[in-house]
Amino acid sequence: MFDLALLWETRELILQGLWNTVWICFLGCLVALSLGLVLAALRLSSPRLFGYPVACYVELCRGTPLLVLLFLLYYGGPGIGLRLDAEIAGVTGIGLYGAGYFAEIYRGGFKSIPKGQLEAARMLGISPWHALIRIQIPQMLRLIVPPGTNQLIILVKESALISIISVDDLTKNATTIVNQTFNVIEPYLAVALLYWMIIELIARGGYALEKRLANRQPRHVAQPGDTAHAHG
Amino acid sequence: MPTADTTTTPTAATRRTRGEAIVEARGIGKSFGELEVLSDIDFRLAPSEVVCVIGPSGSGKSTLLRCLAFLEPYDHGSVHIDGQLLGYEERGGMRVRARESRIDAVRAPVGMVFQHFHLWPHRTALENVSEALRLVNGLSRRDAEAEGMAMLERVGLAERAGHFPESLSGGQKQRVAIARALAMQPRVMFFDEPTSALDPELVGEVLDVMKQLAHDGMTMAIVTHEMGFAAKVADRVVFMDQGRIVESGPPETLFRTPRSERLQQFLNTWRERHID
């Protein structure tokens, strides 16, 4: 029998886990989104200087599991004088790891903007900085909403790994309840439902943002002529 | 270097106020890897002069215009805008690429219109035209938009000010692009095949705007396949082939009595296509 009473009795632990998961994911994703943008902008603005280091960083993030990064930060950190609380190690780990993926998502968005638009800006004397802020980023953001939402969802789901470095998040607290009560189904099902709710919120937020941006801007970034071949 | 000195039409004569060239290129060369696309090009644009550059596809005419604007860095020679070297500067006896801000400053008198318009699709027609006025000239939104509206009126598109590029026809897009360039009050305009991406019935509206500009005394360099336009509007026509200027002169001379075999072939092909 599904024991609802058990969930009611352990509600405080579950809600505490939910709160920890929410704020750690929120801050981690914020770091990932911001650092990713900086990395992508550096790579595009000065490929000679930043292209290789940023590419290495991206490959490192994609090539190593988040759990290994979390272990390095939390257990390996003190070895080099870096003592982080488990929660801060979680935020940092999610942020650094996600930044690698977001850098690529942003780069893809930037690359989809026809080069000619920037040449037009340059011929008008618009500085590269203004072109980035006023021409590239607004168009890029619109393009990256669907893959960006997807990546945020993946990060939230992967955040369950912070339970292994002793953060009292949803997964860890559910496991605690399981260990105390020997009831496996109820706590994990409740936690699954809560994760699903967080993710559904992100997905709906993504759709809303997509719709909002689509109302303001035309559907296609590339103009019909942009794909045609130049002559002469 | 060939000039348009023998032209006889009064309009052209009044235009050709001889003095310092606004744009002067000497011996410019450009290669993409092994492929040499421009070779030893001399090009001069005097105030109020209209020069059309014609030639087969791949002859280097668009690359020439892009080098004159330093959108493509030229490898050899020099380009001067208003007497100032564009793109490079001397440092310790060496020629090095100039800082971007310096390039922008030297290039400021030049406006450019592209084959594919390159409007910013997330901005309305008016925002496209007024953006640089705000960002570069520091105008307030209100002043920039007032100026932008004046430019859109000049190209006959005031009623389309609030439209996004997606909802404009090709001809209208190109006219917005012209208004956008004109808003910065350039002294010389470069047109890189401005009508090549347009449906035939939309070409006229763009050419009309360009004719009006020429009539108003704007200095213009136009890469084009529109021979009729070149014949009517240009003071001088430059024919390019394989990265070199083969022939240059007033349109009536160039089109009626081409000296080079290559230009004769080019004109014959054009006539066969357009008169049949």
Side-chain angles (χ1 to χ4, degrees):
Chain A
M1 273 293 287
F2 194 85
D3 189 357
L4 272 177
L6 172 80
L7 293 179
W8 181 250
E9 282 159 23
T10 56
R11 65 186 182 280
E12 271 186 30
L13 210 52
I14 291 174
L15 287 175
Q16 184 212 23
L18 176 66
W19 168 242
N20 282 338
T21 290
V22 166
W23 78 260
I24 289 171
C25 282
F26 178 78
L27 289 183
C29 288
L30 207 63
V31 171
L33 284 163
S34 322
L35 182 60
L37 182 58
V38 171
L39 290 172
L42 284 177
R43 188 173 183 176
L44 286 173
S45 63
S46 187
R48 269 188 212 165
L49 202 59
F50 297 110
Y52 192 67
V54 173
C56 284
Y57 180 84
V58 167
E59 291 313 314
L60 212 66
C61 287
R62 294 199 293 201
T64 51
L66 174 59
L67 186 58
V68 174
L69 181 61
L70 290 171
F71 281 162
L72 279 170
L73 281 168
Y74 188 60
Y75 298 118
I80 53 163
L82 186 72
R83 285 175 200 283
L84 298 175
D85 288 343
E87 289 83 4
I88 300 303
V91 169
T92 313
I94 292 170
L96 293 178
Y97 178 77
Y101 286 90
F102 275 112
E104 277 304 274
I105 292 173
Y106 288 128
R107 193 170 70 91
F110 279 129
K111 287 268 180 190
S112 307
I113 301 167
K115 195 179 141 207
Q117 286 186 30
L118 299 179
E119 289 186 343
R122 291 222 54 198
M123 285 306 297
L124 295 163
I126 294 175
S127 69
W129 170 250
H130 275 138
L132 179 72
I133 300 292
R134 306 278 300 178
I135 295 163
Q136 289 174 281
I137 288 182
Q139 292 186 72
M140 179 276 290
L141 284 180
R142 198 186 148 270
L143 288 167
I144 62 122
V145 170
T149 307
N150 221 19
Q151 189 56 45
L152 285 177
I153 288 170
I154 290 170
L155 280 182
V156 170
K157 290 208 285 191
E158 289 207 36
S159 78
L161 291 169
I162 60 175
S163 64
I164 302 177
I165 57 164
S166 78
V167 176
D168 295 330
D169 75 331
L170 262 181
T171 307
K172 169 115 183 304
N173 284 5
T175 308
T176 305
I177 297 167
V178 169
N179 290 341
Q180 286 171 356
T181 63
F182 302 107
N183 277 313
V184 176
I185 304 287
E186 291 85 349
Y188 283 136
L189 265 185
V191 159
L193 188 71
L194 288 170
Y195 273 115
W196 181 65
M197 282 167 65
I198 298 172
I199 281 157
E200 197 58 27
L201 266 176
I202 296 172
R204 281 175 189 269
Y207 287 132
L209 187 62
E210 209 179 319
K211 208 172 162 187
R212 192 190 150 107
L213 290 169
N215 286 342
R216 162 73 186 149
Q217 295 168 13
R219 282 187 299 281
H220 308 290
V221 166
Q223 297 166 26
D226 288 330
T227 52
H229 296 288
H231 298 287
Chain B
M1 201 179 79
T3 61
D5 289 347
T6 52
T7 315
T8 51
T9 58
T11 345
T14 44
R15 270 193 206 128
R16 229 176 303 103
T17 324
R18 279 292 166 197
E20 284 289 303
I22 298 186
V23 179
E24 179 140 36
R26 284 176 190 232
I28 58 172
K30 171 76 187 169
S31 298
F32 292 116
E34 296 288 301
L35 182 70
E36 189 179 44
V37 284
L38 290 182
S39 177
D40 196 25
I41 302 269
D42 290 336
F43 186 90
R44 190 176 191 274
L45 203 52
S48 295
E49 195 180 21
V50 176
V51 174
C52 283
V53 183
I54 61 168
S57 289
S59 59
K61 51 195 192 302
S62 281
T63 308
L64 169 63
L65 208 61
R66 290 173 62 79
C67 283
L68 293 177
F70 209 70
L71 285 175
E72 295 289 351
Y74 49 92
D75 302 331
H76 313 288
S78 63
V79 175
H80 285 84
I81 310 274
D82 270 341
Q84 300 199 72
L85 181 65
L86 174 66
Y88 298 100
E89 55 193 15
E90 295 285 332
R91 249 183 257 160
M94 296 265 289
R95 190 166 90 160
V96 293
R97 190 184 163 116
R99 290 185 310 278
E100 296 305 308
S101 55
R102 167 76 185 159
I103 295 172
D104 286 343
V106 175
R107 193 167 45 191
V110 181
M112 186 145 179
V113 172
F114 300 85
Q115 180 180 2
H116 298 306
F117 335 123
H118 298 322
L119 294 180
W120 305 308
H122 61 303
R123 301 253 179 253
T124 62
L126 180 59
E127 287 168 342
N128 264 277
V129 178
S130 56
E131 189 78 355
L133 290 168
R134 293 180 63 197
L135 297 178
V136 182
N137 293 0
L139 263 57
S140 67
R141 175 190 284 265
R142 204 169 155 193
D143 291 347
E145 289 191 349
E147 186 68 21
M149 276 306 285
M151 288 302 144
L152 285 175
E153 269 165 31
R154 192 168 167 189
V155 298
L157 281 175
E159 80 287 358
R160 292 273 171 180
H163 287 244
F164 284 101
E166 194 190 47
S167 63
L168 301 176
S169 72
Q172 289 171 337
K173 280 182 202 169
Q174 195 59 296
R175 282 149 67 197
V176 172
I178 293 172
R180 178 174 67 174
L182 288 177
M184 298 306 284
Q185 301 190 320
R187 294 181 52 226
V188 51
M189 288 278 285
F190 290 169
F191 291 85
D192 185 9
E193 302 202 33
T195 57
S196 297
L198 301 180
D199 290 337
E201 69 268 26
L202 301 176
V203 169
E205 60 186 87
V206 173
L207 293 184
D208 286 345
V209 170
M210 292 169 64
K211 274 180 203 160
Q212 187 57 46
L213 274 179
H215 186 259
D216 295 344
M218 177 62 80
T219 310
M220 294 155 77
I222 307 160
V223 168
T224 186
H225 290 289
E226 295 291 332
M227 301 297 189
F229 174 81
K232 276 185 214 147
V233 179
D235 296 320
R236 188 156 55 89
V237 174
V238 169
F239 173 65
M240 286 185 71
D241 188 38
Q242 297 186 337
R244 291 175 181 276
I245 292 180
V246 178
E247 217 171 315
S248 169
E252 54 269 41
T253 314
L254 208 86
F255 290 142
R256 279 185 201 151
T257 52
R259 293 192 306 268
S260 66
E261 198 181 326
R262 187 65 191 93
L263 178 56
Q264 285 166 23
Q265 280 173 357
F266 178 75
L267 291 174
N268 286 340
T269 312
W270 186 84
R271 281 188 195 109
E272 278 166 23
R273 254 193 231 149
H274 289 81
I275 295 167
D276 283 352

